[in-house]
């Protein structure tokens, strides 16, 4: 691993002590992982994720009070996540939430290693984008099957999360690409794009109106979460407000 890429800070969340011990033993064998803690409940993990910088979650699904999926779904900007469970029926739900991988218990080291390598590749891309994003150039390329289409991020109205795909909306067209919302958000200039909801990232220059819990872009009504609305008003609207 490049010395310029930091270790991934991990959090293990599982209500079974033996499962937490096993996952930590596996993670301790990987030089690019740093286990920052273990939690027995999602409620305990929620406080840690909000207070500290966590890059990767190892998340059990069936837990008391709040399931792993419920916990992941309510996070505004979730870290990378690898689901760990004894039940295979949750696989599709995991992909809807854009998880890196889905590990069935008992977890063998080779599958664990495969999953964390996938997570590391996504982490490396996001780290490089943070350091080297040349946003002076307004153009990006998106892949469509075997083609590469040049688009201007200036013309993107908003981006919609669709399971493990994202949909780029323009005034006269839309493009569906195989990419996570998190990766898209990190590849776009934060001064122009704002996450209003876990499923929607908007280009603030195209906002037409904000009213109550609704935001309008190009006559399209989009939902905005209460916490993100307040942040959007403070960071964008109030700074340009000419009538008090």
């Amino acid at each position: 691993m490049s010395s310029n890429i930091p270790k991934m800070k991990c959090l293990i969340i599982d209500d079974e002590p033996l499962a937490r011990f096993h996952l930590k033993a596996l993670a301790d064998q990987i030089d690019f992982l740093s286990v920052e803690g273990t939690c027995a409940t999602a409620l305990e993990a929620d406080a840690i994720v909000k207070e500290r910088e966590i890059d990767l979650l190892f998340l059990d699904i069936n837990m008391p009070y709040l399931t792993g999926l419920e916990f992941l779904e309510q996070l505004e900007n979730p870290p990378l996540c690898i689901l760990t469970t004894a039940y295979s029926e949750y696989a599709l739900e995991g992909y809807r939430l854009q998880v890196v991988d889905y590990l069935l218990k008992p977890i063998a080291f080779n599958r664990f290693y495969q999953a964390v390598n996938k997570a590391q590749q996504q982490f490396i891309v996001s780290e490089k984008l943070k350091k080297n994003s040349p946003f002076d150039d307004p153009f990006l390329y998106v892949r469509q099957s075997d083609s590469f289409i040049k688009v201007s991020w200036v013309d993107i109205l908003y981006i919609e999360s669709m399971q493990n795909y994202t949909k780029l909306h323009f005034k006269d067209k839309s493009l569906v690409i195989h990419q996570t919302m998190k990766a898209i958000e990190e590849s776009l200039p934060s001064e122009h794009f704002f996450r209003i909801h876990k499923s929607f990232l908007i280009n603030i220059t195209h906002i037409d109106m904000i009213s109550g819990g609704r935001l309008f872009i190009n006559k399209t009504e989009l939902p905005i979460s209460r916490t993100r609305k307040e942040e959007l008003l403070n960071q964008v609207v109030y700074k340009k407000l000419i009538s008090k």
Side-chain angles (χ1 to χ4, degrees), residues 112-192:
F112 180 86
Y113 188 65
Q114 182 183 40
V116 297
N117 270 288
K118 286 170 64 177
Q120 191 206 23
Q121 291 306 309
Q122 292 188 31
F123 179 68
I124 289 172
V125 169
S126 67
E127 287 297 304
K128 287 183 177 179
L129 286 170
K130 287 176 187 176
K131 295 175 182 177
N132 306 312
S133 298
F135 292 126
D136 291 337
D137 184 350
F139 296 105
L140 300 168
Y141 284 89
V142 297
R143 186 166 192 162
Q144 295 277 280
S145 299
D146 294 328
S147 304
F148 297 90
I149 302 173
K150 184 179 182 181
V151 299
S152 169
W153 58 255
V154 175
D155 297 327
I156 298 173
L157 302 180
Y158 63 95
I159 300 167
E160 180 181 2
S161 175
M162 301 172 60
Q163 298 185 4
N164 55 329
Y165 292 83
T166 50
K167 189 174 188 178
L168 310 183
H169 292 267
F170 301 85
K171 283 187 177 180
D172 57 351
K173 65 179 178 180
S174 61
L175 292 172
V176 176
I177 61 174
H178 186 54
Q179 184 61 275
T180 66
M181 179 71 92
K182 181 180 176 67
I184 287 287
E185 185 174 8
E186 289 174 346
S187 66
L188 292 167
S190 59
E191 64 269 27
H192 292 282

Side-chain angles (χ1 to χ4, degrees), residues 44-56:
E44 182 185 350
D46 191 49
I48 294 176
V49 170
K50 289 175 179 175
E51 291 172 4
R52 292 157 59 182
E53 185 178 337
I54 299 295
D55 303 309
L56 176 64

